[in-house]
Amino acid sequence: MIEIKPKIWLGNGNAASNKFQLQKLDIKYIITIGKKSTFPPKFAKVVYLNLSIDGKTDNLLEHLLPSIQFIQNAQATGCSVLVNCESGITLSPYIMISFLVKKGMTFQSAF
């Protein structure tokens, strides 16, 4: 996992499955993006936003606003949030970059 901003983490499916690490980093909000069959197990006292997206045929834009709102809600609680997809290199960075741009960062800086 990589901390992109304070309390905002980017990772892969393994990161979302590591209960010890989630507790250590106070991650109480998780966005998981990908095929339903690849979603990691859910843990108690964690709020999830599971986006069933294949990244090839689904409209990714329709998931941006709910994802950004989810991250903002996590920030409002003071807890950490993890944005993850199966390998952590395509779909979760897409959501993360979109969030950072929405918050005022340039695309070049967010990338």
Side-chain angles (χ1 to χ4, degrees), residues 33 53-65 67 90-91 94-95:
I33 308 138
I53 301 172
D54 70 14
K56 295 176 184 169
T57 59
D58 290 320
N59 180 359
L60 299 176
L61 289 176
E62 70 185 51
H63 300 285
L64 281 183
L65 186 55
S67 298
T90 305
L91 297 173
Y94 166 78
I95 296 293

Side-chain angles (χ1 to χ4, degrees), residues 16 28-34 39-40 42 46-53 62-73 81-85 95:
K28 299 271 188 338
Y29 291 79
I30 297 177
I31 300 176
T32 298
I33 308 138
F39 288 172
K42 291 186 176 183
V46 176
V47 180
Y48 290 87
L49 175 61
N50 291 328
L51 303 175
S52 183
I53 301 172
E62 70 185 51
H63 300 285
L64 281 183
L65 186 55
S67 298
I68 290 169
Q69 289 172 335
F70 187 87
I71 295 169
Q72 290 172 331
N73 290 342
V81 62
L82 168 64
V83 181
N84 79 96
C85 60
I95 296 293

Side-chain angles (χ1 to χ4, degrees), residues 18-28 43-44 46:
N18 187 331
K19 186 176 183 178
F20 174 76
Q21 189 172 25
L22 296 174
Q23 289 173 336
K24 180 180 172 188
L25 299 173
D26 194 33
I27 294 174
K28 299 271 188 338
F43 300 111
V46 176

